[in-house]
Amino acid sequence: MTDRRHAVAAFLLAPLIVAAAIAVAVLFATASGHAGGLQAAFHMALIAFVSASSVGLVLALVFGIPAYLALTRLRIVSPWATMAAAALIGASFPWLAHFLLLDPSASLSANGCRSVLNGVTTACGYRQLALDTIVPALIGAGGGLAFWLVYNGGWRIKERRMS
């Protein structure tokens, strides 16, 4: 029973931990010395926290639960396995957004690259999309580590054996 409680807590807290880290990064990146700049930085950090936590919670519930169930079935719930699974989930986000939200007749250009031409993704577009998955994969890996730490009950890294 405690494994279930730890798993539920980990699914709820890991996206919030990652969102808090993103918000702190945004705060430090956007803060300036004057009062108006600091207030704007706090607003941007709050927006980053709300956005990252909502996306993280949805991804954790839609993709994380099946990944966790597969890992428990295979009996490999470990820090490396949860980080790898979460990195794949994070990396899937740009690809899902690209293919699910793209207008079939769209043409897009980014960074001097014609990425989509009449709804068809070009080779340059796939290269750009692959580069755009690096940061979400790293954020996902951080979420996997946060999941493991909450699931495991702290900083002591040991594998939880399923019986």
Side-chain angles (χ1 to χ4, degrees):
M1 184 64 164
T2 58
D3 279 344
R4 253 187 232 154
R5 276 192 248 144
H6 284 267
V8 169
F11 276 113
L12 295 175
L13 291 177
L16 299 177
I17 292 167
V18 172
I22 290 171
V24 168
V26 166
L27 181 65
F28 283 120
T30 58
S32 65
H34 57 88
L38 193 57
Q39 184 178 10
F42 277 117
H43 285 205
M44 290 179 67
L46 179 63
I47 290 169
F49 177 78
V50 170
S51 301
S53 61
S54 60
V55 168
L57 284 168
V58 169
L59 288 175
L61 294 176
V62 172
F63 297 112
I65 290 175
Y68 170 75
L69 293 174
L71 291 175
T72 54
R73 182 127 174 113
L74 296 170
R75 297 178 189 260
I76 55 171
V77 180
S78 69
W80 301 111
T82 56
M83 286 175 63
L88 287 173
I89 292 168
S92 72
F93 183 68
W95 290 82
L96 289 171
H98 178 78
F99 289 109
L100 294 178
L101 301 177
L102 185 66
D103 183 14
S105 62
S107 291
L108 302 171
S109 293
N111 301 329
C113 165
R114 229 164 185 188
S115 52
V116 178
L117 185 61
N118 296 327
V120 178
T121 305
T122 64
C124 184
Y126 281 115
R127 187 185 83 237
Q128 187 64 41
L129 193 55
L131 290 173
D132 290 343
T133 61
I134 293 171
V135 171
L138 291 173
I139 292 171
L145 181 60
F147 174 88
W148 171 255
L149 291 173
V150 173
Y151 177 75
N152 197 41
W155 287 103
R156 63 186 196 288
I157 303 293
K158 66 176 180 72
E159 292 192 21
R160 185 180 293 274
R161 296 286 177 199
M162 301 297 194
S163 49

